Amino acid sequence: MKNTVYLFAYGLLFGLGLIVAGMSNPAKVLAFLDVAGAWDPSLALVMASALLTLGLARYFMHRNNDAADSEQEPSARVPAGVDGKLITGAAIFGVGWGLSGFCPGPALLGLSAGVLGNYAFVTAMFAGFWLFRLLHQR
Amino acid sequence: MNYLTILSALAGGAMIGLAAALLLFTHKHTAGISGIAAGMLPPWSEGSVWRGWFLAGLLASAPLYRLSGANIALDLDASPGLLAIAGLLVGYGTRLGGGCTSGHGVCGIARLSVRSIVATLTFMLTAGITVFIVRHLL
């Protein structure tokens, strides 16, 4: 029960962070990706700030707690090397991101606004998750 | 960028990084939204429970933010059909590549994973190229 409240709170904090940062708006994300247009570099600051915060937290946690090194859930322990799947998958994701301005977090967060295109995106995204499972697992 | 944009980008990024750090150090999970969302596809397992509560918090962030009276901008330029294609690419691509903006771009880079750095550079590049083609060539 306590865990449940914490997990909900972390998701909430993550979502509020996306909103405060402006990443919840696809138009702003596209303005960041449009280097040749009216470029909005602020999302680079969002990423830098997130990385700095998480990086510092990791540094202090690891300094005080060796056990934190075994942090990954088993499913997240992926092969260490760069391979074709990684590059191909990331490249395909980038095209979808560039077409819409949506990555998974903001797309899910936007659902409550009730925009038709948002529903279309999220439904298709889950179809994509399912397609991957169909083609590459079992 | 004015001061408010810079400040909200830094604050939002810090919130995202803090949420990822809390999830990591209290539950040893990576705050990668594509992986968390894909884990909600049936058949459900024990791992679906923490994912479900984290996602519930993420989904609740927008309505709760609106309760404060503030508006959340959500401007989707693309048609629902194009957004469905984008969603499919994002869903399939993030699974094949093993992560998205949060999993690779924040959590992975924060632990200096070469795979995540390569993936992030790749999806940033293809997203930028896609936006360039759509906005400046078509």
Side-chain angles (χ1 to χ4, degrees):
Chain A
M1 181 60 209
K2 208 171 107 189
N3 270 349
T4 300
V5 174
Y6 282 131
L7 285 162
F8 183 87
Y10 302 158
L12 187 67
L13 181 63
F14 192 100
L16 291 174
L18 287 175
I19 296 168
V20 168
M23 274 201 80
S24 51
N25 191 358
K28 189 173 170 71
V29 175
L30 290 176
F32 166 70
L33 294 170
D34 189 10
V35 181
W39 190 43
D40 176 356
S42 59
L43 291 196
L45 292 178
V46 178
M47 208 164 152
S49 176
L51 281 171
L52 186 71
T53 306
L54 180 57
L56 283 174
R58 291 181 61 95
Y59 175 76
F60 287 111
M61 280 304 292
H62 284 266
R63 208 177 54 168
N64 298 326
N65 179 10
D66 291 335
D69 281 322
S70 57
E71 67 198 16
Q72 296 280 310
E73 60 172 314
S75 64
R77 286 198 204 102
V78 283
V82 171
D83 55 17
K85 269 189 178 180
L86 179 85
I87 308 261
T88 311
I92 292 173
F93 161 46
V95 173
W97 192 30
L99 285 174
S100 59
F102 262 154
C103 53
L108 290 167
L109 190 152
L111 284 174
S112 61
V115 179
L116 176 68
N118 199 149
Y119 290 126
F121 182 96
V122 171
T123 308
M125 181 174 82
F126 275 94
F129 294 154
W130 178 78
L131 185 68
F132 170 77
R133 188 193 280 182
L134 198 73
L135 295 178
H136 300 279
Q137 290 174 351
R138 274 176 287 173
Chain B
M1 284 199 299
N2 57 33
Y3 284 112
L4 186 65
T5 311
I6 294 172
L7 210 64
S8 37
L10 293 176
M15 290 162 78
I16 294 167
L18 183 62
L22 288 167
L23 184 67
L24 183 60
F25 293 126
T26 62
H27 289 79
K28 304 197 185 302
H29 293 310
T30 300
I33 306 300
S34 57
I36 293 175
M40 292 311 292
L41 281 178
W44 289 326
S45 63
E46 209 174 309
S48 311
V49 178
W50 75 264
R51 291 186 174 93
W53 284 111
F54 184 87
L55 284 178
L58 177 71
L59 290 172
S61 65
L64 281 174
Y65 187 85
R66 283 192 205 96
L67 277 184
S68 73
N71 181 45
I72 303 172
L74 201 161
D75 308 304
L76 273 172
D77 298 335
S79 67
L82 185 61
L83 285 166
I85 293 169
L88 193 67
L89 295 174
V90 168
Y92 179 76
T94 52
R95 293 322 295 142
L96 187 66
C100 59
T101 336
S102 49
H104 278 314
V106 176
C107 298
I109 292 185
R111 61 182 168 87
L112 301 176
S113 154
V114 174
R115 276 175 61 86
S116 290
I117 293 168
V118 170
T120 304
L121 290 174
T122 305
F123 65 65
M124 288 272 182
L125 183 71
T126 58
I129 292 171
T130 303
V131 170
F132 184 79
I133 292 173
V134 170
R135 292 202 168 171
H136 303 286
L137 296 183
L138 292 184

